[in-house]
Amino acid sequence: MDGDNNPTLPLAFDLVWMAAIVLWLLLVGVAWVSIVRTSHRRRGAAFWWCLLVLLMPIIGALIWFVARPRISDTDQRTSS
């Protein structure tokens, strides 16, 4: 019997789980970069957002992308 082939779990199952893990890490990484690059009005806000994403990775990242502060048109015109 071949040691590399697991008879109870097909290869597709392993590939789906690996893809899910990679997408999860990508979502958390993008959320953290977005949190750090956003200017926050209150001190410590970035810390709490990063902690939320760390403790609740998928839900916390989705909450961040929905509730993050948006750049208004006047802020974009003054920054360029």
Side-chain angles (χ1 to χ4, degrees):
M1 192 170 214
D2 189 16
D4 294 336
N5 191 5
N6 187 348
T8 59
L9 293 175
L11 177 63
F13 185 78
D14 288 338
L15 292 176
V16 167
W17 275 108
M18 287 300 293
I21 290 170
V22 167
L23 289 173
W24 170 67
L25 290 173
L26 185 65
L27 178 69
V28 170
V30 169
W32 278 351
V33 168
S34 177
I35 291 168
V36 170
R37 293 184 73 186
T38 301
S39 62
H40 298 279
R41 298 192 192 279
R42 294 183 300 167
R43 268 171 95 208
F47 169 76
W48 292 112
W49 276 110
C50 286
L51 187 64
L52 177 73
V53 171
L54 178 67
L55 294 177
M56 299 184 343
I58 296 172
I59 301 298
L62 293 176
I63 291 171
W64 165 253
F65 288 123
V66 170
R68 68 181 171 188
R70 305 279 188 229
I71 298 174
S72 66
D73 291 336
T74 56
D75 290 342
Q76 287 178 347
R77 279 186 256 137
T78 57
S79 64
S80 50

